[in-house]
Amino acid sequence: MGMLEIRDITSGYGEVQILWGTTLNLEKGDLTSLVGANGAGKTTTMRTIMGLLKPWQGSVWFDGQDISNMSAHEKAEIGVVLVPEGRQLFTQMSIEENLEMGASPKRARPHIQRNLERVYAMFPRLKERRLQKAGTMSGGEQQMLAVARGIMAEPIVLMIDELSLGLAPVLVLDLFQTLQKLKSEGMTMMLVEQNVQMALAVSDYAYVMAHGKVELHGNSRELAKNEYVRKAYLGL
Amino acid sequence: MDFLLASLIDGLLLGFVYGIAAMGLTLIWGVMNVINLSHGPIIALGMFGVYYIFSALGIHPYLALIAVAAGGLLLGGLIYFVAVHRVIDAPHLSTLLATFSVNMIIIGLGTAAFSASPRNVDFTLGSFEIGSITILGTRLVAAILAMFVTGGLYLFLYKSRYGRYIRAVTDNRDAAELMGVPSVRILALSFGLGTMLAAISGGLIATFFPFTILAGGSYELKSFVVSVLGGLGNPVGALLAGLILGAIEGIIPTVLPTTWVPVLEFVLFILILLFRPQGLFKTKSS
């Protein structure tokens, strides 16, 4: 049984159904990636897992517990943390306040000092600018802050939606190295990516989504060799 | 000249009280984009709260304010869950109608309970003179208490955990929720704080002006003028704008008949909306 399981979820906005029975399984300690074209339903999947959108059908399980009906803040409390698409920082707050906000869950509060040192060591830029307002930073710095804020929540499962979007390749490599480090510390992670090549290169297991469903899944290295994936997503 | 100065000081002291009333309105708008049309009746309830606690229980009006503040906080939370919560994501018209309904309910119940006859908190601190200027004691104390309330609100918003949560929900509700903040409770708390400020301002006004259950209406309108003047959603701007409005109210009657006061206030309101809709003071987001 996985650390986080999503079983046959359907969901959408108003009358518009986006997810048509999505099933995912995140093994403990794995870095799993969720890839697919724009509009495949990846972000909707994330929002439904967190409870920002109510699942119409299906269920979400965390460590053997049914958490389908929990609200997003309750999920954050138990260690299921999402770094949302588009960063969603508190733009009027300083970098340090954003990080303190990350440590809001009760389970994260006692470790706030240790985690601050940890994320400042990962992203020295954030330390240099810690009193600056988050809204005034560059896109790359904002992405660092979004990831750092997520780490401050002391996650058991950390999901990151569109880590690489709009970032310089050098910075993306940096961020991926940070993820590898977190993985080596035993964190279970999911990476939602449009950059399929990059995602398959860093993850252990991958799901390919299309039209609101999982189209393919498997070991990332094998998927990268898969003829269909190479043609449809890697342009090879 | 002394007369003018005395009127100005009088107006400024009153302005602090207008300031905290407007802060209540602007806080609720800033956090959840709801225009609270039950603001006026809650100001009136604050007046009646101080009146009854003082006249029936014999408790000093300034101590009564503590109970009025607590009552305002709880009432605001209640109004949020009963009337606002289910329409919070609906278009603005729905929240306007919801809070307007609360407005009508309070006025209806209040008229039945208290009748519409004027009341007066029979209490005075006398007055004292600086040179040739006379200052009413109750007004001075009201201004000082309003300053403390403002300072307290600032410390709460910027130095406490829950204050930080309120700012986070204001900034980005989804993100706050994802970081473990129970955003519904924070919205209820914010609504409670907004009505608490309204109730306190009413309680302070009751110590120097007579009032009826309908008296809140005119203070609600003043709160709108002050909020817009100070930049809607900006509590510090609201306090400064409250002082401006108070000063205008102090000075106009020295040169024009008093009936001109609301006329000029609303001319100012319209001018601000036309030429500087973001308010006189730079808000943090601009």
Side-chain angles (χ1 to χ4, degrees):
Chain A
M1 193 177 55
M3 198 67 201
L4 189 73
E5 281 184 65
I6 292 88
R7 294 184 192 160
D8 210 19
I9 282 241
T10 62
S11 166
Y13 299 88
E15 302 270 290
V16 184
Q17 184 163 358
I18 308 281
L19 300 183
W20 298 81
T22 307
T23 298
L24 305 170
N25 185 14
L26 274 63
E27 289 299 335
K28 188 175 178 178
D30 266 8
L31 203 176
T32 306
S33 62
L34 178 63
V35 299
N38 213 347
K42 305 187 298 292
T43 293
T44 307
T45 304
M46 291 301 109
R47 291 179 65 84
T48 312
I49 292 173
M50 287 310 294
L52 290 176
L53 274 178
K54 279 245 165 337
W56 297 357
Q57 284 166 341
S59 53
V60 181
W61 295 75
F62 170 67
D63 206 10
Q65 190 191 354
D66 185 352
I67 59 167
S68 314
N69 294 318
M70 278 189 184
S71 55
H73 71 89
E74 289 168 320
K75 285 176 183 151
E77 278 295 339
I78 60 172
V80 180
V81 175
L82 171 68
V83 176
E85 187 194 24
R87 294 145 202 165
Q88 311 282 341
L89 298 173
F90 303 112
T91 52
Q92 301 297 313
M93 291 186 176
S94 69
I95 288 170
E96 191 139 297
E97 274 190 305
N98 267 277
L99 294 172
E100 284 167 5
M101 277 306 301
S104 298
K106 280 187 201 75
R107 53 193 304 282
R109 285 180 214 167
H111 312 297
I112 183 164
Q113 215 46 50
R114 188 200 71 202
N115 281 335
L116 261 182
E117 281 163 26
R118 190 163 156 222
V119 298
Y120 281 152
M122 281 174 190
F123 308 111
R125 284 296 277 273
L126 296 182
K127 189 172 186 178
E128 287 163 28
R129 309 192 164 198
R130 65 184 208 280
L131 300 178
Q132 193 179 323
K133 270 193 188 163
T136 63
M137 295 191 301
S138 74
E141 289 163 344
Q142 290 197 10
Q143 191 69 65
M144 289 177 195
L145 178 55
V147 173
R149 188 180 61 173
I151 295 169
M152 293 297 295
E154 192 79 17
I156 296 169
V157 176
L158 179 65
M159 298 176 285
I160 304 176
D161 197 350
E162 297 294 4
L163 181 69
S164 70
L165 196 68
L167 296 187
V170 186
L171 200 65
V172 175
L173 271 175
D174 264 8
L175 282 166
F176 277 140
Q177 272 163 12
T178 306
L179 296 189
Q180 293 293 355
K181 205 152 123 201
L182 291 172
K183 183 174 132 60
S184 70
E185 291 170 17
M187 203 180 279
T188 305
M189 278 183 288
M190 174 146 73
L191 197 57
V192 179
E193 267 298 330
Q194 281 189 49
N195 186 339
V196 178
Q197 191 168 15
M198 194 76 98
L200 292 181
V202 294
S203 61
D204 305 298
Y205 202 84
Y207 289 84
V208 181
M209 255 187 114
H211 312 296
K213 271 187 200 165
V214 172
E215 195 179 36
L216 264 177
H217 59 100
N219 184 294
S220 298
R221 226 175 290 165
E222 282 161 24
L223 275 186
K225 291 183 205 143
N226 180 299
E227 204 50 44
Y228 168 74
V229 173
R230 288 168 67 89
K231 252 196 198 134
Y233 295 99
L234 300 176
L236 298 172
Chain B
M1 193 60 215
D2 276 352
F3 180 58
L4 191 71
L5 189 61
S7 305
L8 179 66
I9 289 173
D10 238 19
L12 284 175
L13 293 178
L14 194 55
F16 279 102
V17 181
Y18 291 165
I20 58 168
M23 260 188 252
L25 196 68
T26 216
L27 178 74
I28 291 173
W29 169 262
V31 176
M32 62 195 92
N33 285 18
V34 168
I35 293 173
N36 178 20
L37 290 182
S38 62
H39 189 67
I42 289 163
I43 293 176
L45 286 182
M47 295 169 167
F48 276 89
V50 166
Y51 173 79
Y52 275 109
I53 294 170
F54 173 64
S55 64
L57 304 174
I59 292 171
H60 194 284
Y62 296 128
L63 284 178
L65 266 181
I66 296 171
V68 164
L73 185 67
L74 293 176
L75 179 65
L78 183 72
I79 293 174
Y80 177 80
F81 282 116
V82 172
V84 181
H85 180 60
R86 65 198 72 194
V87 287
I88 189 94
D89 293 321
H92 284 170
L93 183 62
S94 305
T95 49
L96 274 175
L97 287 174
T99 56
F100 186 67
S101 309
V102 174
N103 167 87
M104 296 308 285
I105 291 168
I106 296 175
I107 286 180
L109 291 176
T111 310
F114 312 129
S115 82
S117 54
R119 310 297 166 96
N120 176 24
V121 177
D122 190 13
F123 159 78
T124 171
L125 290 175
S127 58
F128 51 93
E129 281 164 31
I130 303 169
S132 55
I133 298 161
T134 308
I135 295 174
L136 209 58
T138 45
R139 284 209 190 186
L140 182 65
V141 173
I144 292 168
L145 290 178
M147 279 186 253
F148 274 110
V149 169
T150 308
L153 181 72
Y154 179 85
L155 287 179
F156 179 75
L157 286 179
Y158 286 90
K159 302 289 171 199
S160 79
R161 164 179 300 280
Y162 280 92
R164 196 167 65 213
Y165 287 178
I166 288 178
R167 287 185 294 125
V169 170
T170 306
D171 204 324
N172 189 329
R173 185 178 164 192
D174 272 358
E177 188 68 30
L178 288 174
M179 293 299 118
V181 175
S183 62
V184 173
R185 266 175 273 165
I186 295 301
L187 292 178
L189 173 67
S190 310
F191 205 92
L193 283 174
T195 56
M196 181 186 87
L197 291 168
I200 293 174
S201 71
L204 289 173
I205 291 168
T207 61
F208 46 78
F209 285 152
F211 54 91
T212 70
I213 186 68
L214 298 171
S218 64
Y219 296 107
E220 177 171 328
L221 290 176
K222 285 185 209 299
S223 296
F224 277 117
V225 178
V226 171
S227 300
V228 168
L229 206 61
L232 210 47
N234 176 1
V236 181
L239 188 74
L240 296 174
L243 295 179
I244 293 174
L245 198 79
I248 292 173
E249 283 196 8
I251 290 171
I252 288 174
T254 64
V255 289
L256 283 169
T258 313
T259 45
W260 278 92
V261 169
V263 177
L264 292 177
E265 277 173 3
F266 282 94
V267 167
L268 180 67
F269 182 66
I270 289 168
L271 289 177
I272 291 286
L273 285 179
L274 282 177
F275 298 111
R276 209 173 153 80
Q278 75 274 33
L280 288 181
F281 312 105
K282 195 168 159 265
T283 55
K284 276 181 266 160
S285 53
S286 59

